[in-house]
Amino acid sequence: MTSPVGASAGAGRDGVVAARRLARWLGLAATPTFAMMALLTAVLGEGPADMLCGAAHGSLLGGMVPMYLLMSAFHSAAWLRLISE
């Protein structure tokens, strides 16, 4: 028979492991999701949100497509970690 303290410690450890696995998969999902959003935004054209984010109309960094590409690049660490393992 296990004590209540031992049972809750085991359950807590399982929860931590599950949370880490979920966080890893979410990290892997971010990069392709942002890349697809950039592609769809570029293909489907400018919308009202692009006008809001594109305040500097002459800048290369203005608009939603560059923002999604930058977000994709910033979230690529999970993929680089997976490739290096």
Side-chain angles (χ1 to χ4, degrees):
M1 187 163 126
T2 61
S3 69
V5 173
S8 66
R13 195 173 315 128
D14 290 342
V16 169
V17 170
R20 286 184 180 160
R21 286 183 182 165
L22 178 63
R24 183 174 180 167
W25 283 107
L26 285 174
L28 289 172
T31 298
T33 300
F34 288 130
M36 285 300 298
M37 291 169 70
L39 181 66
L40 287 173
T41 304
V43 169
L44 297 177
E46 297 181 8
D50 202 24
M51 291 174 58
L52 287 173
C53 293
H57 295 289
S59 172
L60 291 174
L61 294 177
M64 296 297 285
V65 174
M67 181 192 70
Y68 287 139
L69 290 174
L70 285 171
M71 290 170 66
S72 180
F74 291 145
H75 286 88
S76 66
W79 281 98
L80 295 173
R81 205 172 312 128
L82 180 69
I83 291 168
S84 71
E85 292 174 356

